[in-house]
Amino acid sequence: MSTIRTLLVELTGTEEFAESVGDDVDLAASGIDSGDLVRLVLLVEQRTGVEITAEDMEHLRTIADYERFVSERAATTGGA
Amino acid sequence: MWLAQLAERNRQCFPNRTALVDEHRSTTWAEFHDRTAELARGLAELGVRRGDRVVVLSQDRVEVLESYFAIARLGALFVPLNHSVAAPEAAEMIERVGAVALLGESELLDRHADLPSVRIRIAFDKPEFAALGSTAPEVELPEVADTDPVAVLHTSATTGRAKGVTVDSGSFRAIALGWLVQARPTDDIVLVNCCPLYHGSMVVSLTYMAAGATLVLLPGFTPQRALAAVEQHRATHMWLVPQMLRFMFQAKAAETADLSSLREILYGAAPMPIDVYTDAVRRLGCGFRQVYGMTEVGGPFVTLGPDEHPEPGDVTARIPCGRVIPGMSARAVDKHGAEVGRGEIGEIVVRGPGVMQGYWNDPDATREVTLDGWIITGDLGFLDSDGRIHLVDRSKDVIIRAGQNVYPSEVERVLLTHPAVRDAAVVGVADDDYGEVPLAHVVAEGVTAGELLAHLKDNLAPYKRPRRIEFTDAIPRNPAGKILKKQLRT
């Protein structure tokens, strides 16, 4: 399971949501609570060490967006 | 009409100052005044009349407040809806108020194609909204009296279906004037509004607009947006719920954000956990103002100013809600409606010119929350010797264990004093022996249930201690930050 999906399992407490939502589905429109989306961003920051700015968030809508963002940042910083 | 007067006065006094700013645009007081008049004429040209209901379905943006003011200028009623509710629920609310028009963001409007009462739809993000009213004839807008309803605001629905609260122009005036006297906001304030404009908390925003403040609107709260907004606009004030502060300080951006412009944090909708307060005071070094309000009483009617907040670090401190604003009255009463003595717990009731006209088309529900002209808040609390209201709990949430009252907020407060606990909610569950016993839902790391029960044992009377601790990833809360206890009981 990808990093973001693992975090979604942690957030929602069930694998059902993380497994059912497609890579390119807009998470905000997928039925996830808006508070969970806030927590997802915080968890990504905590677990990967990558900072997400307000501007970055404009481009983070789907699981694929998050995965791409984290891997790109990890590549440029050599971390994560 | 209060909202029209507010816009006129601020155009007169601060024509070129920024009134509102969002992520796309900003508007001065002169522009805001003129645009709301133009929109009102445009809506009138489309057939919107006094008494009509116009639903606004949008994330927070400048056009939302422009629409509210324009609709009210017509003597029509603006009806903001929570855009995150499921489509059938929103459709039911739209039909319940019999809305003739729907304004909002096209993505949200498109979710509601089939609404029999709605004959006008205009999307904020389409050219027709920008053009609305620009060619409308100069018509005399109707006189709107203080007693005329101008809004239907929906409750946050922590216990069931959201109810529509009918608010008149005089309510907005009364709350704003009382707040201006008590909290004394100044016209140099730049307020980052983290709370949605679709429910009663929007009255706080209207009140700061009345002071001539600049409002910074976010299209939904995220810690990163809020922090960036403070930095970018050198904000002096923020309006948020306590959980948002906790999230803000967890964000990496908080480590580097320049928040030195902040003078005051306004918080409400849920109690402020002492650990969050202590952390926030230490990090921000600014004042804190509590806001206690309720949609049915017109919004914020009690406040506690920075001078009366406890010193940070005192984990035993209880922060009172504050004093009622001038013009409104509040007291604690017993089950017969008689006022109880100072320090005695009763149900908080409120009256004054801010209170609602009633629930929209629901006289039975209105009667249920009205007692001899007072609105029954459903909150249990007491007044201290200095006239400050202290809340103890929601009356519906009190757990009656073998005839003894257990206030969940007290147990939650003790749980939150444990360093490993990040969040907690306590509900009553049926019990064969005691009728009802407390059950604690806890968000925590690195602690066992046994350790938490031991911590409770050290701090609470036996009958108040939960039988069980359930660990969870998050406490369910509504967008206003209130715990959704109904979900925890199921």
Side-chain angles (χ1 to χ4, degrees):
Chain A
M1 191 177 272
S2 71
T3 307
I4 303 303
R5 283 185 197 279
T6 305
L7 294 178
L8 282 171
V9 172
E10 194 174 327
L11 276 176
T12 59
T14 167
E15 293 189 357
E16 196 183 331
F17 176 79
E19 285 176 353
S20 65
V21 66
D23 276 354
D24 295 316
V25 169
D26 186 339
L27 287 169
S30 67
I32 192 171
D33 180 76
S34 59
D36 280 344
L37 275 181
V38 167
R39 293 173 59 228
L40 175 65
V41 174
L42 295 173
L43 264 183
V44 172
E45 284 192 335
Q46 286 161 14
R47 299 297 163 80
T48 66
V50 167
E51 180 175 344
I52 301 176
T53 66
E55 199 180 337
D56 294 331
M57 288 180 63
E58 297 302 314
H59 310 291
L60 297 175
R61 292 178 169 270
T62 67
I63 289 176
D65 292 338
Y66 278 96
E67 296 287 0
R68 202 163 33 243
F69 175 82
V70 170
S71 61
E72 282 172 8
R73 285 298 165 92
T76 50
T77 61
Chain B
M1 199 276 283
W2 170 245
L3 296 181
Q5 287 170 349
L6 184 166
E8 279 169 22
R9 187 255 180 188
N10 287 353
R11 179 187 62 165
Q12 200 170 60
C13 298
F14 328 111
N16 300 315
R17 275 200 216 162
T18 303
L20 304 170
V21 55
D22 65 19
E23 291 191 342
H24 303 289
R25 57 179 279 235
S26 67
T27 185
T28 65
W29 280 111
E31 290 164 343
F32 179 77
H33 171 274
D34 295 348
R35 178 62 177 148
T36 55
E38 184 179 74
L39 276 176
R41 289 195 299 273
L43 290 168
E45 193 178 37
L46 291 174
V48 177
R49 297 284 176 263
R50 180 194 285 272
D52 283 345
R53 276 78 62 202
V54 179
V55 162
V56 179
L57 201 55
S58 173
Q59 299 186 95
D60 288 3
R61 54 193 289 165
V62 170
E63 291 82 355
V64 170
L65 285 164
E66 288 176 341
S67 298
Y68 291 175
F69 276 65
I71 294 161
R73 282 186 86 142
L74 276 177
L77 287 74
F78 59 88
V79 186
L81 288 191
N82 178 347
H83 52 79
S84 66
V85 301
E89 193 182 347
E92 192 273 331
M93 288 192 273
I94 293 167
E95 287 304 302
R96 202 191 321 150
V97 297
V100 301
L102 202 50
L103 307 180
E105 292 170 323
S106 51
E107 189 186 336
L108 295 168
L109 301 192
D110 290 348
R111 294 182 195 168
H112 306 286
D114 187 24
L115 296 166
S117 67
V118 173
R119 50 187 167 76
I120 300 163
R121 288 168 173 269
I122 306 172
F124 292 153
D125 43 352
K126 300 284 185 190
E128 59 179 317
F129 184 81
L132 185 60
S134 57
T135 57
E138 287 285 340
V139 291
E140 186 97 353
L141 295 171
E143 281 295 316
V144 180
D146 268 2
T147 50
D148 288 335
V150 291
V152 178
L153 305 177
H154 282 83
T155 58
S156 55
T158 50
T159 56
R161 192 180 77 162
K163 298 189 194 80
V165 172
T166 308
V167 180
D168 59 33
S169 178
S171 168
F172 288 137
R173 180 197 302 278
I175 296 294
L177 294 181
W179 194 268
L180 291 172
V181 169
Q182 186 77 12
R184 300 182 189 175
T186 48
D187 58 45
D188 64 339
I189 285 173
V190 178
L191 173 75
V192 174
N193 182 65
C194 298
C195 297
L197 292 169
Y198 55 68
H199 64 57
S201 69
M202 55 82 76
V203 182
V204 173
S205 314
L206 292 184
T207 299
Y208 280 78
M209 289 176 78
T214 297
L215 238 59
V216 181
L217 305 173
L218 308 177
F221 169 82
T222 69
Q224 293 78 8
R225 272 187 189 138
L227 290 163
V230 172
E231 272 199 300
Q232 185 185 346
H233 301 287
R234 300 296 298 157
T236 61
H237 289 56
M238 297 183 87
W239 164 220
L240 41 68
V241 297
Q243 191 65 26
M244 292 174 177
L245 265 182
R246 192 191 288 277
F247 284 152
M248 266 174 45
F249 294 135
Q250 287 173 8
K252 281 199 174 292
E255 294 165 12
T256 52
D258 177 4
L259 307 176
S260 59
S261 57
L262 285 172
R263 304 200 306 248
E264 196 169 287
I265 302 290
L266 291 96
Y267 67 91
M272 171 68 85
I274 283 293
D275 67 319
V276 175
Y277 169 72
T278 300
D279 190 32
V281 171
R282 287 183 177 150
R283 284 170 181 258
L284 301 175
C286 67
F288 283 73
R289 174 174 293 285
Q290 178 157 192
V291 180
Y292 170 39
M294 185 179 176
T295 311
E296 287 88 337
V297 300
F301 67 99
V302 165
T303 184
L304 185 80
D307 294 347
E308 293 196 279
H309 272 68
E311 286 297 315
D314 179 1
V315 294
T316 62
R318 291 186 53 155
I319 306 176
C321 281
R323 295 186 179 85
V324 70
I325 60 173
M328 299 294 287
S329 305
R331 53 170 65 160
V333 300
D334 65 18
K335 60 185 176 185
H336 305 295
E339 188 170 9
V340 299
R342 293 286 171 114
E344 284 181 49
I345 294 173
E347 186 147 22
I348 304 296
V349 296
V350 187
R351 75 176 175 191
V355 304
M356 67 172 179
Q357 292 195 338
Y359 292 119
W360 180 262
N361 269 353
D362 200 342
D364 291 341
T366 304
R367 267 193 295 278
E368 274 178 31
V369 299
T370 312
L371 181 71
D372 298 332
W374 296 80
I375 296 288
I376 303 164
T377 62
D379 288 326
L380 294 177
F382 62 91
L383 273 88
D384 65 22
S385 56
D386 294 317
R388 294 175 305 196
I389 294 173
H390 297 244
L391 286 192
V392 177
D393 227 313
R394 293 285 296 167
S395 62
K396 297 183 193 83
D397 291 337
V398 170
I399 300 160
I400 302 174
R401 181 189 178 277
Q404 289 179 296
N405 287 355
V406 179
Y407 300 107
S409 62
E410 184 184 4
V411 186
E412 288 159 8
R413 217 169 19 248
V414 172
L415 281 165
L416 287 165
T417 60
H418 192 286
V421 175
R422 306 187 65 80
D423 204 358
V426 172
V427 295
V429 290
D431 184 87
D432 288 343
D433 294 328
Y434 297 103
E436 206 177 16
V437 291
L439 166 69
H441 294 262
V442 171
V443 181
E445 280 178 20
V447 67
T448 65
E451 286 166 340
L452 285 182
L453 290 170
H455 173 71
L456 291 166
K457 190 178 166 202
D458 292 340
N459 292 284
L460 283 176
Y463 73 93
K464 295 179 182 176
R465 294 177 208 153
R467 280 274 187 84
R468 241 177 42 239
I469 305 281
E470 296 269 349
F471 288 100
T472 180
D473 288 336
I475 300 296
R477 293 176 185 273
N478 71 8
K482 290 182 181 168
I483 298 171
L484 295 167
K485 295 212 168 177
K486 199 175 172 189
Q487 284 188 20
L488 294 172
R489 290 189 192 101
T490 54

